[in-house]
Amino acid sequence: QVQLVESGGGLVQPGGSLRLSCAASGRIFSINDMGWYRQAPGKEREWVATVHTHGSTNYADSVKGRFTISRDNAKSTVYLQMGSLKPEDTAVYYCNARVSPFGGRFDNYWGQGTQVTVSS
């Protein structure tokens, strides 16, 4: 099986910064795209950012210029550096990865989520 474990969430003041990490472990042959999603109370889960296998990135307009996604393939880990945080960034953040456990089909895996609260 494949597990994704997030860390780094917490309470931060508006304008502050926070760095999330998500490490994949278990039966892993290769990892394709890795990304972050978030879900605020009463809202649907929304895509935040994706980093592709060789490092190219895509961002939602709401976070472009403030968040940076990166990955360490040797550690099977994806990061989300969040800056200039706003109260509307408050949400549970989930990491996502497309993983091939055995060298064939890629499946979608999710972490358990980590809470980010932006408040004074």
Side-chain angles (χ1 to χ4, degrees):
Q1 276 290 6
V2 176
Q3 299 85 36
L4 300 181
V5 178
E6 297 113 336
S7 61
L11 173 65
V12 62
Q13 292 186 343
S17 300
L18 211 55
R19 188 194 197 207
L20 306 182
S21 301
C22 173
S25 63
R27 181 77 187 185
I28 298 172
F29 181 83
S30 65
I31 302 176
N32 196 338
D33 293 350
M34 303 183 82
W36 290 92
Y37 290 70
R38 67 186 182 185
Q39 187 167 19
K43 295 187 177 182
E44 294 187 351
R45 188 175 299 188
E46 65 173 359
W47 168 72
V48 174
T50 297
V51 57
H52 304 285
T53 306
H54 298 294
S56 61
T57 58
N58 299 96
Y59 297 93
D61 288 343
S62 59
V63 306
K64 201 172 294 183
R66 300 188 298 121
F67 291 10
T68 302
I69 189 172
S70 61
R71 64 191 286 170
D72 184 334
N73 290 331
K75 296 181 179 179
S76 299
T77 299
V78 61
Y79 305 95
L80 186 67
Q81 179 68 48
M82 304 184 292
S84 301
L85 283 162
K86 306 174 182 179
E88 50 263 44
D89 294 317
T90 295
V92 177
Y93 283 71
Y94 298 90
C95 74
N96 171 271
R98 288 185 56 77
V99 179
S100 172
F102 303 103
R105 186 185 73 185
F106 283 83
D107 290 323
N108 230 15
Y109 292 88
W110 292 92
Q112 81 285 356
T114 185
Q115 177 70 46
V116 172
T117 302
V118 185
S119 174
S120 55

